[in-house]
Amino acid sequence: MALEQEVKVYQSQLAYGEMLLEGLAADKAFELICDGGVNPAWIMGHLGLVANNITAMAGGQPKIDVEQWKPLFGGGTTPATDASAYPAWDELVSVWKQGHADVADAIPSISEEVLSGENPIELLRPILMTTHDFLSFALTAHESMHMGQLSTWRRVQGQPPLF
């Protein structure tokens, strides 16, 4: 199966993210730790949106309203600190977790034709030319980068390292 190893890494990021989220109070999830940073609510919404888009790209059924979520969580958006601007914290986490399951279910059926096609994300096309290149990045490096942000957020909040 194409992207089999990437899906394994992606699922390991889910397990790591769940450890990072353990004990995080919903009311703190909207706090920023620095100007220009992101908060856990934005991270979960963003990763849920990306998972939804990957699922759709792989021919699976989207679970969220992209038109509603993209202005809140799309790349380049500014994280809100007002909880009322976002879906509830539990929903954000649930969409992220469900997104992992949906991606893992959808990826095995993605066709070689789709994988060899041009990367649909124009901004990344110069370095990730094909859909396969993009998906490999999205399932590994992209998710890991945001887990690093979440880990840093936890540490600044005074929580101990996991490892």
Side-chain angles (χ1 to χ4, degrees), residues 7-8 28 32-33 58 75 82 107 112 114 121 126 136 148 160:
V7 170
K8 286 180 185 177
K28 292 193 74 74
L32 292 172
I33 58 172
D82 177 4
I107 288 290
E112 284 300 320
V114 170
I121 312 299
S136 184

Side-chain angles (χ1 to χ4, degrees), residues 28 31-33 40 151-160:
K28 292 193 74 74
E31 293 180 10
L32 292 172
I33 58 172
S151 178
T152 299
W153 185 93
R154 281 181 80 255
R155 296 294 302 277
V156 170
Q157 293 290 340
Q159 295 183 22

Side-chain angles (χ1 to χ4, degrees), residues 24-87:
L24 193 153
D27 62 328
K28 292 193 74 74
F30 301 89
E31 293 180 10
L32 292 172
I33 58 172
C34 66
D35 290 340
V38 294
N39 55 29
W42 185 90
I43 294 168
M44 291 295 101
H46 177 69
L47 292 176
L49 174 64
V50 170
N52 184 79
N53 292 344
I54 291 170
T55 298
M57 191 182 299
Q61 196 66 308
K63 300 272 174 67
I64 62 171
D65 181 352
V66 173
E67 297 305 313
Q68 195 174 39
W69 281 56
K70 189 174 181 180
L72 299 173
F73 305 113
T77 58
T78 301
T81 56
D82 177 4
S84 69
Y86 287 153

Side-chain angles (χ1 to χ4, degrees), residues 64-151:
I64 62 171
D65 181 352
V66 173
E67 297 305 313
Q68 195 174 39
W69 281 56
K70 189 174 181 180
L72 299 173
F73 305 113
T77 58
T78 301
T81 56
D82 177 4
S84 69
Y86 287 153
W89 171 244
D90 289 344
E91 181 182 356
L92 294 172
V93 174
S94 177
V95 165
W96 170 67
K97 288 180 180 182
Q98 183 62 52
H100 272 260
D102 294 343
V103 166
D105 287 345
I107 288 290
S109 62
I110 194 167
S111 72
E112 284 300 320
E113 181 181 355
V114 170
L115 288 173
S116 63
E118 185 176 66
N119 178 355
I121 312 299
E122 187 176 348
L123 175 69
L124 298 175
R125 213 174 285 148
I127 55 172
L128 302 168
M129 293 178 271
T130 66
T131 298
H132 187 276
D133 295 337
F134 168 73
L135 289 173
S136 184
F137 163 77
L139 296 174
T140 59
H142 178 258
E143 186 92 1
S144 296
M145 174 186 67
H146 289 298
M147 288 300 108
Q149 291 172 325
L150 188 55
S151 178

